[in-house]
Amino acid sequence: MLRTHTCGELRLTHIGQEVTLCGWVQRVRDKGRVLWADLRDRYGLTQLQAEEGISSPEIIAQMRSLGREFVIAATGTVIERISKNPDMPTGDIEIKVSRIEILNAAKTPPFLIEDETDGGDELRMQYRYLDLRRNAVRRNLELRHRLNIETRKYLDGLGFIDVETPVLIKSTPEGARDFVVPSRMNPGEFYALPQSPQTFKQLLMVSGFDRYYQLVKCFRDEDLRADRQPEFTQIDCEMAFVTQTDILQTFEGLTKHLFRVVKGIDLPDFAVMPYSEAMEYYGSDKPDTRFGMRFVNLNALTKGKGFPVFEQAELVVGICAQGAAEYTRKQLDDLTKFVQRPQIGAKGLVYVKYNTDGSLKSSVDKFYNPEDLRTWAEAMQAQPGDLMLILAGEDKATRKQLNELRLEMGSQLGLRPRDQYSVLWVTDFPLLDWDEETQRWHAMHHPFTSPKAEDQALLDTDPGAVRANAYDLVINGVEVGGGSIRIYQRELQEKMLALLGFSPEEARAQFGFLMDAFEYGAPPHGGIAFGFDRLCALMGGVDSIRDFIAFPKNNAGRDVMINSPSPIAPEQLDELHIGLKKG
């Protein structure tokens, strides 16, 4: 090794030792007679020192020649610092330099490689290899590494086996768009990159590998946002001879383990909430339960008073924001503009202030008297000082809009701290969802999810009423994981595919291999997949998963560092039997 120690490990106990450190120069400070340089590596920062009249002229000249991000090896003696820095682990010592070797000079980087950088997102993405030198980014990847190791330890301790599944697979029409890969040896035919290893892990259950896991790369060609990337990582798991309760207990245990060993947080037992309750009281299948503001249906209390908006609405529903009665007219106008944004789509907002003196003032006083408003307050359990916010319209859309308003109010009132975690299981999802545009049923999760046993007969008479044997893990309003108990009998799988619009021939072509396997002794089985990148971001206290991926894509799905995707040579296209249309 060129170095004897890292830049993060020297302490007062090392005083008097001669050491050699290697790393990158963070900055140089020249005070005339004394010079300091901060040397950084992955492990920390150590201060180097040289002093005119004591250090050699060569060392002084070399120190003055150093630039930011020069790669050097520095040898010297560990001494106690006169001016200690309590904010640095190595802040009690410094190195009195006796020799410097410049291993590689460096151009001045395009942004400051410090926690508070002056580089914008695109610039840092373009020079990601420099951005990765920053402590903030390094700590994110260290957290990811720790979660990876602890996940493997926990699952290995429960007898799970890590099995790699294929990356070049078959394209299927369900779910998001596939990334496709042309086959040179099979002209006109294509592989797809996996959106998940779903069918392969089910086949592993048929094979007798009753506990499987994999930290697996998956791919989806979909529109991007902060919590999506075209390629992402899942903690993918499957178990045989289990019930839904077994799955929930096993992976509640994994989640508690990760929070305990990585964050030092002991999570309480997870709540279980049916999908119907989540939609009724939160308007979302992934509710943020760090705070209250549950929805209250006001239909019975608002009709018959002549207010057209409420009279014509399928649903009138509200939330109570505790302590927000002091909101100004401007703040209320801003909330109205918030819900009227195109991505939310509400036509307006009704508010009622329950003033601290006990009086009630609303934006619809023309139609409702104080006694009417008091019945609303009682229904919403409002107290003096609270603010009631009400939306009206079509049931499903209004609940979705009020969910967005609830989250916004939670943020404004400081009720969503990043260091507080509320975890729950959402269960009993609908098995199927009717799509008006295509006029057919779609699987709420995927085509291999089993119906609840007690609802199975409804597949023939009322498919929309069938509940799925499915479950999602939700943390702070983020869906971190999801799974289901699977179909494992051919007849039921064929019925499910028929409901989804597959002809027998299409079902055979797409999933015949799986249904054939079911006839050779498939055990009852189920599983779950965690979004590993999302879990990292959640535990790291940020919204974007990009911060926890070493080399992420931008919002357009591009890697601006290597300029990908990019055109390929015509010769390659010819080999793949692909011709691009001209013009």
Side-chain angles (χ1 to χ4, degrees):
M1 295 288 290
L2 296 178
R3 61 189 177 189
T4 61
H5 298 78
T6 70
C7 294
E9 67 178 293
L10 297 174
R11 301 293 187 270
L12 289 171
T13 53
H14 295 94
I15 285 178
Q17 293 184 23
E18 183 175 82
V19 299
T20 298
L21 305 182
C22 294
W24 290 262
V25 176
Q26 178 102 354
R27 67 179 69 86
V28 177
R29 300 184 300 284
D30 186 346
K31 298 299 183 182
R33 184 166 169 271
V34 183
L35 295 97
W36 292 277
D38 292 334
L39 192 65
R40 181 194 70 245
D41 64 10
R42 169 185 150 195
Y43 307 94
L45 197 74
T46 297
Q47 181 169 281
L48 312 179
Q49 183 250 51
E51 187 174 354
E52 286 190 348
I54 298 176
S55 304
S56 70
E58 181 185 8
I59 289 294
I60 296 295
Q62 282 187 306
M63 286 278 280
R64 287 195 168 122
S65 73
L66 297 178
R68 283 167 48 202
E69 301 307 310
F70 274 41
V71 185
I72 67 170
T75 300
T77 304
V78 181
I79 62 173
E80 186 171 1
R81 282 175 67 162
I82 296 173
S83 298
K84 294 182 172 61
N85 185 345
D87 297 326
M88 285 173 55
T90 61
D92 292 335
I93 59 92
E94 61 187 3
I95 308 300
K96 189 175 184 62
V97 181
S98 59
R99 182 168 63 87
I100 292 176
E101 181 182 359
I102 297 177
L103 301 174
N104 206 349
K107 293 167 63 175
T108 301
F111 54 86
L112 289 174
I113 300 178
E114 297 184 6
D115 286 2
E116 298 299 325
T117 182
D118 57 354
D121 285 350
E122 281 297 301
L123 185 63
R124 289 187 291 109
M125 291 273 281
Q126 184 180 350
Y127 295 92
R128 183 62 168 176
Y129 48 87
L130 297 179
D131 196 37
L132 288 169
R133 294 181 188 173
R134 297 194 305 119
N135 287 331
V137 183
R138 174 184 53 78
R139 284 192 292 266
N140 288 344
L141 293 187
E142 288 174 346
L143 173 65
R144 183 186 181 99
H145 165 75
R146 185 86 168 114
L147 284 171
N148 184 317
I149 294 299
E150 292 299 334
T151 296
R152 294 180 184 279
K153 282 183 184 177
Y154 183 86
L155 294 174
D156 183 65
L158 293 181
F160 283 78
I161 182 171
D162 182 356
V163 181
E164 292 184 37
T165 52
V167 174
L168 295 175
I169 66 168
K170 185 176 188 174
S171 182
T172 60
E174 288 291 313
R177 296 184 188 90
D178 289 324
F179 282 101
V180 294
V181 181
S183 171
R184 178 181 60 81
M185 293 185 292
N186 300 277
E189 297 184 324
F190 297 81
Y191 301 104
L193 302 181
Q195 296 185 36
S196 90
Q198 181 62 44
T199 53
F200 290 101
K201 65 180 180 179
Q202 290 190 246
L203 291 171
L204 285 169
M205 298 302 103
V206 179
S207 302
F209 291 88
D210 63 330
R211 292 191 168 200
Y212 142 92
Y213 86 96
Q214 188 180 184
L215 269 77
V216 60
K217 188 74 77 176
C218 300
F219 307 85
R220 290 180 188 169
D221 187 7
E222 58 186 355
D223 295 336
L224 304 182
R225 58 191 188 203
D227 63 348
R228 284 182 180 170
Q229 284 275 296
E231 53 181 307
F232 57 96
T233 303
Q234 287 184 176
I235 306 172
D236 197 62
C237 306
E238 198 79 4
M239 303 170 73
F241 306 112
V242 290
T243 64
Q244 176 174 299
T245 300
D246 297 321
I247 300 280
L248 301 195
Q249 288 176 347
T250 300
F251 293 98
E252 180 168 329
L254 170 62
T255 308
K256 287 180 174 178
H257 171 77
L258 294 177
F259 271 88
R260 183 171 59 253
V261 299
V262 177
K263 296 285 289 182
I265 294 173
D266 286 313
L267 294 174
D269 291 345
F270 299 175
V272 179
M273 182 183 297
Y275 170 87
S276 58
E277 182 179 324
M279 297 306 295
E280 180 178 359
Y281 295 116
Y282 299 96
S284 170
D285 59 2
K286 45 181 183 294
D288 186 343
T289 52
R290 281 174 292 183
F291 63 105
M293 285 194 223
R294 300 208 327 169
F295 292 8
V296 178
N297 187 316
L298 297 173
N299 275 8
L301 302 176
T302 56
K303 303 285 187 179
K305 296 290 185 175
F307 182 46
V309 174
F310 286 177
E311 297 299 331
Q312 297 163 13
E314 181 182 3
L315 175 69
V316 181
V317 64
I319 56 173
C320 177
Q322 294 181 350
E326 299 302 317
Y327 263 43
T328 65
R329 181 58 185 266
K330 181 182 184 306
Q331 287 175 298
L332 293 168
D333 287 345
D334 287 343
L335 288 179
T336 302
K337 291 174 184 174
F338 173 81
V339 298
Q340 289 176 329
R341 287 160 46 191
Q343 56 267 52
I344 297 178
K347 291 191 170 88
L349 172 68
V350 171
Y351 68 84
V352 182
K353 287 186 174 187
Y354 198 160
N355 298 313
T356 52
D357 63 5
S359 63
L360 291 135
K361 175 68 178 173
S362 82
S363 56
V364 287
D365 283 346
K366 179 179 176 182
F367 298 94
Y368 298 94
N369 61 43
E371 286 310 309
D372 294 328
L373 301 179
R374 200 164 298 279
T375 64
W376 301 4
E378 289 172 1
M380 299 174 78
Q381 298 184 340
Q383 301 295 321
D386 293 348
L387 175 67
M388 291 169 272
L389 300 170
I390 301 159
L391 294 179
E394 185 270 326
D395 189 298
K396 188 174 180 180
T398 302
R399 291 188 187 280
K400 187 175 181 181
Q401 293 156 5
L402 191 58
N403 167 59
E404 296 292 341
L405 179 59
R406 175 182 176 269
L407 295 176
E408 175 65 17
M409 290 304 298
S411 297
Q412 289 191 17
L413 297 174
L415 303 176
R416 305 175 71 193
R418 293 187 183 277
D419 59 353
Q420 178 184 327
Y421 297 93
S422 181
V423 190
L424 74 153
W425 292 104
V426 177
T427 62
D428 296 352
F429 288 83
L431 181 69
L432 301 164
D433 184 39
W434 180 257
D435 188 307
E436 288 291 343
E437 186 175 335
T438 60
Q439 287 292 297
R440 69 180 184 91
W441 294 107
H442 288 263
M444 192 83 156
H445 277 69
H446 54 59
F448 316 109
T449 297
S450 70
K452 287 273 191 181
E454 57 269 35
D455 292 354
Q456 191 167 324
L458 295 172
L459 287 171
D460 297 317
T461 58
D462 188 5
V466 179
R467 293 169 299 160
N469 220 332
Y471 34 83
D472 281 356
L473 182 67
V474 177
I475 305 179
N476 293 358
V478 176
E479 178 200 328
V480 173
S484 66
I485 301 299
R486 322 300 188 190
I487 296 170
Y488 65 99
Q489 296 149 325
R490 180 173 192 131
E491 183 181 353
L492 182 55
Q493 187 64 75
E494 287 177 334
K495 179 178 284 191
M496 180 68 168
L497 292 172
L499 274 171
L500 297 174
F502 286 82
S503 68
E505 295 74 24
E506 289 170 335
R508 175 73 194 170
Q510 291 290 339
F511 304 114
F513 65 93
L514 183 63
M515 292 187 289
D516 286 347
F518 287 167
E519 296 187 297
Y520 288 92
H525 58 280
I528 193 169
F530 286 69
F532 187 58
D533 312 292
R534 284 187 187 179
L535 184 61
C536 291
L538 194 73
M539 294 181 75
V542 300
D543 293 323
S544 175
I545 65 174
R546 290 195 324 196
D547 296 335
F548 291 84
I549 298 172
F551 299 101
K553 308 291 188 291
N554 67 10
N555 288 339
R558 298 195 63 83
D559 185 327
V560 294
M561 182 183 67
I562 64 172
N563 192 27
S564 174
S566 60
I568 61 174
E571 294 79 9
Q572 289 177 279
L573 292 174
D574 290 340
E575 280 189 328
L576 296 169
H577 311 281
I578 296 174
L580 293 180
K581 293 181 180 179
K582 296 181 179 179

